[in-house]
Amino acid sequence: MTRNLCMSVCQRNTWDSYFEIPTQVKTELQFWKSNCKSIPNLLVCPIHKIPERIIFSDASMYAGAGFVDGNVLQIAHYMFSEQERLKSSTWRELKSVEFILESMFAQLAGKLVKIYTDNQNVVHICRVGSMKPDLHELAMNIYTTCIVNSITIEVEWIPRSENVQADYFSRIFDFDDWAVDDSVFLMFNNRWGKFTFDRFADDKNHKIARFNSKFWVPGTTGVDAFAFDWSGENNWIVPPVCLVCRVLNHMLTCRAKGVLVVPKWKSALFWPMVWNKHRK
C-alpha cells in the first residue's frame, strides 16, 4: 500500500519540487488515514502457527472457483464476463482469490488461512503487488479484505496435479444461470410484493438484499435454498428449470408463499403442477 507513493516521490525532479498527486497515491493515503490505527500489530519475528483454514483456488477460461478444505465442502464460484475472459490467466487466478475471500470473509475472519494455487505469479503478487495496474488493483482488494476482517493469508504454490478438485470446480459452466429483467421484477413486486427474499440468485443478479445462492458469493444469506425454511417470507423464486418440481414440493412442505417464475414450456414435467387447465 505504498507502491505508488514511493514511485511518485522517486519521479520528482528535485528535492523541493512539487508534483500532482495521482489518484492511485490518493487511494493509498486514504487507506492509511482510515486504517492506520485499526491495522492489527505484527511481530517482527512472527510465530508460525498451523493454518486454521485451508483453501484451494483455481481458474479456467470461463470461471474461477475455490473451496475450503474440511468436513463440509464450502465452494465459491465466479463466472467470468466476456471482457474478463480476455484477461490474462494470472488476472483470472488472482480474481478467483479475491472473490473467495470476499465471499467467505465471515468464516475466515480472525483466522490464519493457507491458500493453495497452481499459479506462481499469484503467490508473488499477493505478497508484494504488481507493476501492472489491473493486477495491483486486485492485490490491493485482497489486502484490504484481509485487513478489514483480520484475516492472515499465506499463499503457496502447488503443482496442478495436486489442485485437481479446484480445477474441476473452475470448469463448471452454469447453464442454468438465468434471470428476469428488472422491469419485470418491479411489475411483480408492485402487484404481489414487497418481496423479502430472493431464493435463487447470486451476487450479480439478485433482486433483493437477502438471497440464497448455489455457491458462496459476496452478500449471500446462505448456500442451497432448500436447506432453509421459506415460511414467513414473501419469496421471489426464479429457479433453474430442472428444480421447479422440487421448488413446488419445498413450498408445500414449508407452507411458503411467493411468486414462482418459469418458462412457458407446456411439454415440461413441471407444467401440470403449475398450470390448471380448468382455469382461464
Side-chain angles (χ1 to χ4, degrees), residues 81-98:
S81 65
E82 292 184 5
Q83 292 78 14
E84 290 171 338
R85 293 173 192 172
L86 301 176
K87 296 279 190 178
S88 66
S89 60
T90 297
W91 187 94
R92 296 195 302 271
E93 296 270 6
L94 201 60
K95 178 66 178 179
S96 300
V97 173
E98 177 204 38

Side-chain angles (χ1 to χ4, degrees), residues 6-271:
C6 294
M7 290 175 59
S8 294
V9 170
C10 291
Q11 290 174 358
R12 71 192 189 283
N13 295 323
T14 64
W15 181 262
D16 296 319
S17 63
Y18 291 87
F19 61 89
E20 184 177 353
I21 299 178
T23 302
Q24 296 87 341
V25 172
K26 293 179 181 177
T27 301
E28 292 180 353
L29 290 172
Q30 186 61 47
F31 171 85
W32 290 110
K33 179 181 178 182
S34 302
N35 299 287
C36 192
K37 293 183 180 180
S38 61
I39 294 176
N41 295 327
L42 297 177
L43 297 175
V44 176
C45 297
I47 301 173
H48 294 283
K49 300 189 299 182
I50 298 175
E52 298 165 90
R53 294 289 186 272
I54 296 177
I55 293 176
F56 290 84
S57 173
D58 202 1
S60 65
M61 180 65 72
Y62 300 102
F67 68 94
V68 178
D69 192 25
N71 295 329
V72 179
L73 197 61
Q74 297 175 301
I75 306 169
H77 186 273
Y78 177 83
M79 291 294 297
F80 296 128
S81 65
E82 292 184 5
Q83 292 78 14
E84 290 171 338
R85 293 173 192 172
L86 301 176
K87 296 279 190 178
S88 66
S89 60
T90 297
W91 187 94
R92 296 195 302 271
E93 296 270 6
L94 201 60
K95 178 66 178 179
S96 300
V97 173
E98 177 204 38
F99 183 80
I100 294 166
L101 291 173
E102 290 181 351
S103 301
M104 300 183 175
F105 71 87
Q107 300 96 302
L108 305 177
K111 294 180 172 60
L112 173 60
V113 181
K114 173 79 79 173
I115 301 177
Y116 288 108
T117 175
D118 55 23
N119 187 302
Q120 294 186 10
N121 291 331
V122 170
V123 177
H124 179 74
I125 294 171
C126 284
R127 290 175 181 169
V128 300
S130 173
M131 293 299 295
K132 296 183 178 179
D134 57 341
L135 298 180
H136 191 65
E137 180 181 359
L138 291 176
M140 291 204 312
N141 293 342
I142 291 170
Y143 181 72
T144 302
T145 299
C146 291
I147 288 295
V148 171
N149 297 285
S150 298
I151 302 171
T152 302
I153 61 171
E154 294 179 352
V155 185
E156 186 172 326
W157 176 83
I158 57 173
R160 184 168 297 179
S161 59
E162 298 181 16
N163 204 27
V164 175
Q165 196 165 9
D167 177 70
Y168 168 78
F169 291 134
S170 72
R171 296 180 186 277
I172 295 176
F173 195 100
D174 194 357
F175 291 99
D176 292 319
D177 184 15
W178 70 290
V180 300
D181 190 79
D182 288 342
S183 60
V184 176
F185 169 77
L186 290 174
M187 178 184 69
F188 284 117
N189 193 54
N190 291 333
R191 184 167 183 176
W192 290 306
K194 179 182 180 181
F195 296 114
T196 59
F197 217 112
D198 194 342
R199 289 297 171 183
F200 295 88
D202 58 31
D203 57 313
K204 297 178 181 178
N205 62 17
H206 64 92
K207 307 298 184 185
I208 306 163
R210 299 165 65 218
F211 66 95
N212 291 136
S213 55
K214 183 177 181 180
F215 302 106
W216 284 100
V217 298
T220 183
T221 306
V223 176
D224 185 6
F226 298 112
F228 298 88
D229 184 355
W230 296 4
S231 63
E233 304 284 355
N234 189 11
N235 298 281
W236 173 252
I237 309 167
V238 187
V241 176
C242 61
L243 296 179
V244 173
C245 293
R246 188 179 176 187
V247 165
L248 292 168
N249 289 329
H250 193 72
M251 293 185 73
L252 290 172
T253 300
C254 298
R255 296 185 178 182
K257 71 174 184 177
V259 169
L260 171 64
V261 181
V262 299
K264 189 177 180 180
W265 292 352
K266 296 183 178 181
S267 60
L269 292 175
F270 64 78
W271 194 253

